[in-house]
Short mmCIF file of all heavy atoms in Angstrom, two decimals:
data_model
loop_
_atom_site.label_atom_id
_atom_site.label_comp_id
_atom_site.label_asym_id
_atom_site.label_seq_id
_atom_site.Cartn_x
_atom_site.Cartn_y
_atom_site.Cartn_z
N ILE H 217 16.95 -87.19 -52.77
CA ILE H 217 16.91 -88.66 -52.50
C ILE H 217 17.65 -89.32 -53.70
O ILE H 217 17.77 -88.79 -54.76
CB ILE H 217 15.46 -89.18 -52.41
CG1 ILE H 217 14.67 -88.88 -53.72
CG2 ILE H 217 14.83 -88.55 -51.21
CD1 ILE H 217 14.59 -90.00 -54.63
N MET H 218 18.10 -90.52 -53.46
CA MET H 218 18.81 -91.33 -54.52
C MET H 218 18.10 -92.64 -54.72
O MET H 218 17.62 -93.33 -53.75
CB MET H 218 20.26 -91.60 -54.03
CG MET H 218 21.05 -92.42 -55.03
SD MET H 218 22.74 -92.64 -54.54
CE MET H 218 22.52 -93.64 -53.06
N VAL H 219 17.73 -92.97 -55.95
CA VAL H 219 17.13 -94.19 -56.27
C VAL H 219 18.15 -95.27 -56.37
O VAL H 219 19.02 -95.26 -57.31
CB VAL H 219 16.34 -94.04 -57.56
CG1 VAL H 219 15.61 -95.35 -57.99
CG2 VAL H 219 15.31 -92.92 -57.53
N ASP H 220 18.07 -96.32 -55.48
CA ASP H 220 18.94 -97.36 -55.45
C ASP H 220 18.58 -98.54 -56.47
O ASP H 220 19.43 -99.06 -57.13
CB ASP H 220 19.10 -98.03 -54.10
CG ASP H 220 19.94 -97.13 -53.20
OD1 ASP H 220 20.77 -96.39 -53.63
OD2 ASP H 220 19.76 -97.21 -51.95
N ARG H 221 17.29 -98.79 -56.47
CA ARG H 221 16.83 -99.89 -57.40
C ARG H 221 15.44 -99.50 -57.94
O ARG H 221 14.64 -99.03 -57.28
CB ARG H 221 16.71 -101.16 -56.57
CG ARG H 221 16.44 -102.43 -57.34
CD ARG H 221 16.55 -103.68 -56.55
NE ARG H 221 15.53 -103.67 -55.48
CZ ARG H 221 15.30 -104.67 -54.67
NH1 ARG H 221 16.06 -105.75 -54.70
NH2 ARG H 221 14.33 -104.53 -53.77
N VAL H 222 15.30 -99.89 -59.24
CA VAL H 222 14.07 -99.57 -59.93
C VAL H 222 13.47 -100.92 -60.43
O VAL H 222 14.16 -101.57 -61.19
CB VAL H 222 14.24 -98.63 -61.11
CG1 VAL H 222 12.99 -98.35 -61.83
CG2 VAL H 222 14.86 -97.31 -60.61
N ASN H 223 12.24 -101.23 -60.08
CA ASN H 223 11.58 -102.42 -60.53
C ASN H 223 10.27 -102.11 -61.32
O ASN H 223 9.30 -102.79 -61.27
CB ASN H 223 11.23 -103.35 -59.38
CG ASN H 223 12.43 -103.95 -58.68
OD1 ASN H 223 13.40 -104.27 -59.31
ND2 ASN H 223 12.39 -103.99 -57.34
N ASP H 224 10.36 -100.94 -62.06
CA ASP H 224 9.21 -100.48 -62.88
C ASP H 224 9.73 -99.87 -64.17
O ASP H 224 10.99 -99.71 -64.32
CB ASP H 224 8.35 -99.44 -62.14
CG ASP H 224 9.09 -98.22 -61.67
OD1 ASP H 224 9.51 -97.44 -62.60
OD2 ASP H 224 9.45 -98.06 -60.50
N ASN H 225 8.81 -99.69 -65.06
CA ASN H 225 9.25 -99.14 -66.40
C ASN H 225 8.92 -97.67 -66.58
O ASN H 225 8.91 -97.15 -67.68
CB ASN H 225 8.56 -99.95 -67.51
CG ASN H 225 8.94 -101.41 -67.52
OD1 ASN H 225 10.12 -101.68 -67.28
ND2 ASN H 225 7.99 -102.29 -67.71
N LEU H 226 8.63 -96.95 -65.49
CA LEU H 226 8.24 -95.55 -65.57
C LEU H 226 9.44 -94.62 -65.86
O LEU H 226 10.44 -94.72 -65.12
CB LEU H 226 7.54 -95.07 -64.30
CG LEU H 226 7.11 -93.65 -64.27
CD1 LEU H 226 6.00 -93.38 -65.31
CD2 LEU H 226 6.64 -93.25 -62.92
N ASP H 227 9.33 -93.87 -66.95
CA ASP H 227 10.46 -92.87 -67.21
C ASP H 227 9.81 -91.54 -67.31
O ASP H 227 9.10 -91.19 -68.27
CB ASP H 227 11.14 -93.25 -68.59
CG ASP H 227 12.27 -92.25 -68.89
OD1 ASP H 227 12.57 -91.44 -68.00
OD2 ASP H 227 12.88 -92.43 -70.00
N LEU H 228 10.08 -90.75 -66.29
CA LEU H 228 9.39 -89.46 -66.20
C LEU H 228 10.11 -88.32 -66.92
O LEU H 228 9.73 -87.12 -66.88
CB LEU H 228 9.25 -89.06 -64.73
CG LEU H 228 8.19 -89.72 -63.93
CD1 LEU H 228 8.28 -89.47 -62.48
CD2 LEU H 228 6.76 -89.37 -64.49
N LYS H 229 11.15 -88.68 -67.70
CA LYS H 229 11.81 -87.61 -68.56
C LYS H 229 10.83 -87.14 -69.62
O LYS H 229 10.79 -86.01 -69.90
CB LYS H 229 13.04 -88.19 -69.11
CG LYS H 229 14.19 -88.36 -68.08
CD LYS H 229 15.44 -88.88 -68.79
CE LYS H 229 16.55 -89.09 -67.72
NZ LYS H 229 17.75 -89.62 -68.40
N PHE H 230 10.11 -88.12 -70.16
CA PHE H 230 9.05 -87.72 -71.14
C PHE H 230 8.06 -88.88 -71.33
O PHE H 230 8.49 -90.03 -71.46
CB PHE H 230 9.67 -87.35 -72.51
CG PHE H 230 8.64 -87.06 -73.53
CD1 PHE H 230 8.01 -85.77 -73.52
CD2 PHE H 230 8.31 -87.95 -74.52
CE1 PHE H 230 7.09 -85.45 -74.44
CE2 PHE H 230 7.32 -87.66 -75.45
CZ PHE H 230 6.71 -86.37 -75.47
N ILE H 231 6.77 -88.57 -71.18
CA ILE H 231 5.71 -89.51 -71.42
C ILE H 231 4.80 -88.94 -72.56
O ILE H 231 4.26 -87.87 -72.44
CB ILE H 231 4.87 -89.69 -70.18
CG1 ILE H 231 5.75 -90.22 -69.02
CG2 ILE H 231 3.66 -90.58 -70.45
CD1 ILE H 231 5.09 -90.32 -67.66
N ALA H 232 4.81 -89.64 -73.65
CA ALA H 232 3.97 -89.19 -74.80
C ALA H 232 2.50 -89.20 -74.52
O ALA H 232 1.94 -90.24 -73.99
CB ALA H 232 4.33 -90.02 -75.99
N LYS H 233 1.87 -88.14 -74.73
CA LYS H 233 0.41 -88.03 -74.52
C LYS H 233 -0.07 -86.88 -75.39
O LYS H 233 -0.24 -85.75 -74.96
CB LYS H 233 0.07 -87.79 -73.02
CG LYS H 233 -1.38 -87.82 -72.68
CD LYS H 233 -1.66 -87.60 -71.25
CE LYS H 233 -3.18 -87.70 -70.94
NZ LYS H 233 -3.52 -87.48 -69.52
N PRO H 234 -0.40 -87.14 -76.69
CA PRO H 234 -0.85 -86.12 -77.53
C PRO H 234 -2.28 -85.65 -77.29
O PRO H 234 -3.23 -86.36 -77.60
CB PRO H 234 -0.77 -86.76 -78.91
CG PRO H 234 -0.88 -88.23 -78.67
CD PRO H 234 -0.29 -88.47 -77.31
N ILE H 235 -2.38 -84.59 -76.57
CA ILE H 235 -3.67 -83.99 -76.17
C ILE H 235 -3.69 -82.51 -76.47
O ILE H 235 -2.64 -81.99 -76.97
CB ILE H 235 -4.00 -84.25 -74.70
CG1 ILE H 235 -2.86 -83.59 -73.81
CG2 ILE H 235 -4.24 -85.71 -74.35
CD1 ILE H 235 -3.24 -83.53 -72.35
N ALA H 236 -4.80 -81.87 -76.17
CA ALA H 236 -4.89 -80.41 -76.21
C ALA H 236 -5.34 -79.95 -74.89
O ALA H 236 -6.02 -80.65 -74.15
CB ALA H 236 -5.84 -79.92 -77.35
N ILE H 237 -4.91 -78.76 -74.49
CA ILE H 237 -5.33 -78.17 -73.22
C ILE H 237 -5.93 -76.75 -73.49
O ILE H 237 -5.39 -76.06 -74.31
CB ILE H 237 -4.16 -78.07 -72.16
CG1 ILE H 237 -2.99 -77.24 -72.72
CG2 ILE H 237 -3.74 -79.45 -71.73
CD1 ILE H 237 -1.95 -76.89 -71.64
N LYS H 238 -7.03 -76.46 -72.78
CA LYS H 238 -7.60 -75.13 -72.86
C LYS H 238 -7.33 -74.35 -71.60
O LYS H 238 -7.56 -74.88 -70.46
CB LYS H 238 -9.11 -75.29 -73.10
CG LYS H 238 -9.80 -73.93 -73.23
CD LYS H 238 -11.31 -74.13 -73.58
CE LYS H 238 -11.99 -72.79 -73.78
NZ LYS H 238 -13.41 -72.95 -74.08
N LEU H 239 -6.72 -73.18 -71.74
CA LEU H 239 -6.24 -72.42 -70.54
C LEU H 239 -7.56 -71.75 -69.89
O LEU H 239 -8.34 -71.16 -70.60
CB LEU H 239 -5.30 -71.32 -70.95
CG LEU H 239 -4.01 -71.83 -71.65
CD1 LEU H 239 -3.01 -70.71 -71.89
CD2 LEU H 239 -3.36 -72.99 -70.88
N GLN H 240 -7.54 -71.84 -68.60
CA GLN H 240 -8.61 -71.18 -67.83
C GLN H 240 -8.17 -69.89 -67.22
O GLN H 240 -8.92 -69.13 -66.57
CB GLN H 240 -9.07 -72.12 -66.61
CG GLN H 240 -9.49 -73.52 -67.11
CD GLN H 240 -10.70 -73.43 -67.96
OE1 GLN H 240 -11.77 -72.92 -67.60
NE2 GLN H 240 -10.56 -73.93 -69.25
N ALA H 241 -6.93 -69.50 -67.44
CA ALA H 241 -6.36 -68.20 -66.94
C ALA H 241 -5.06 -67.96 -67.76
O ALA H 241 -4.50 -68.84 -68.43
CB ALA H 241 -6.04 -68.35 -65.46
N ASN H 242 -4.64 -66.69 -67.77
CA ASN H 242 -3.41 -66.38 -68.46
C ASN H 242 -2.18 -67.10 -67.79
O ASN H 242 -2.09 -67.07 -66.57
CB ASN H 242 -3.15 -64.87 -68.42
CG ASN H 242 -4.22 -64.09 -69.19
OD1 ASN H 242 -4.97 -64.68 -69.98
ND2 ASN H 242 -4.36 -62.77 -68.96
N GLN H 243 -1.28 -67.60 -68.62
CA GLN H 243 -0.12 -68.23 -68.04
C GLN H 243 1.06 -67.98 -68.84
O GLN H 243 0.97 -67.73 -70.09
CB GLN H 243 -0.36 -69.77 -67.98
CG GLN H 243 -1.44 -70.23 -67.03
CD GLN H 243 -1.52 -71.74 -66.93
OE1 GLN H 243 -0.64 -72.35 -66.38
NE2 GLN H 243 -2.57 -72.28 -67.50
N ASN H 244 2.26 -68.10 -68.30
CA ASN H 244 3.53 -67.88 -69.03
C ASN H 244 3.93 -69.29 -69.56
O ASN H 244 3.83 -70.36 -68.92
CB ASN H 244 4.66 -67.50 -68.06
CG ASN H 244 4.49 -66.02 -67.62
OD1 ASN H 244 3.97 -65.22 -68.36
ND2 ASN H 244 4.96 -65.65 -66.46
N THR H 245 4.37 -69.23 -70.81
CA THR H 245 5.11 -70.42 -71.35
C THR H 245 6.60 -70.20 -71.30
O THR H 245 7.06 -68.99 -71.37
CB THR H 245 4.65 -70.71 -72.84
OG1 THR H 245 4.95 -69.54 -73.62
CG2 THR H 245 3.15 -71.02 -72.86
N TYR H 246 7.42 -71.25 -71.26
CA TYR H 246 8.86 -71.07 -71.06
C TYR H 246 9.67 -71.70 -72.13
O TYR H 246 9.24 -72.67 -72.88
CB TYR H 246 9.19 -71.72 -69.72
CG TYR H 246 8.56 -71.06 -68.55
CD1 TYR H 246 7.24 -71.40 -68.16
CD2 TYR H 246 9.22 -70.04 -67.81
CE1 TYR H 246 6.67 -70.81 -67.04
CE2 TYR H 246 8.64 -69.49 -66.68
CZ TYR H 246 7.40 -69.76 -66.32
OH TYR H 246 6.77 -69.19 -65.28
N LYS H 247 10.91 -71.19 -72.30
CA LYS H 247 11.74 -71.55 -73.35
C LYS H 247 12.39 -72.97 -73.08
O LYS H 247 12.69 -73.77 -73.97
CB LYS H 247 12.94 -70.62 -73.60
CG LYS H 247 12.45 -69.23 -74.08
CD LYS H 247 13.58 -68.31 -74.29
CE LYS H 247 13.12 -66.93 -74.74
NZ LYS H 247 14.20 -65.96 -74.83
N GLU H 248 12.68 -73.22 -71.73
CA GLU H 248 13.29 -74.45 -71.35
C GLU H 248 12.42 -75.17 -70.30
O GLU H 248 11.56 -74.54 -69.68
CB GLU H 248 14.66 -74.24 -70.72
CG GLU H 248 15.63 -73.58 -71.61
CD GLU H 248 15.72 -72.06 -71.40
OE1 GLU H 248 15.02 -71.54 -70.46
OE2 GLU H 248 16.32 -71.34 -72.15
N ALA H 249 12.73 -76.51 -70.11
CA ALA H 249 11.99 -77.27 -69.15
C ALA H 249 12.24 -76.86 -67.74
O ALA H 249 11.48 -77.20 -66.82
CB ALA H 249 12.27 -78.75 -69.40
#
Side-chain angles (χ1 to χ4, degrees):
I217 60 99
M218 180 176 64
V219 179
D220 283 338
R221 188 175 61 178
V222 178
N223 294 321
D224 58 71
N225 296 320
L226 180 66
D227 184 3
L228 285 172
K229 289 182 180 179
F230 179 76
I231 298 174
K233 188 178 181 180
I235 58 170
I237 58 171
K238 184 177 181 180
L239 302 186
Q240 305 297 302
N242 296 344
Q243 295 186 68
N244 289 330
T245 59
Y246 295 85
K247 296 178 181 179
E248 301 95 7

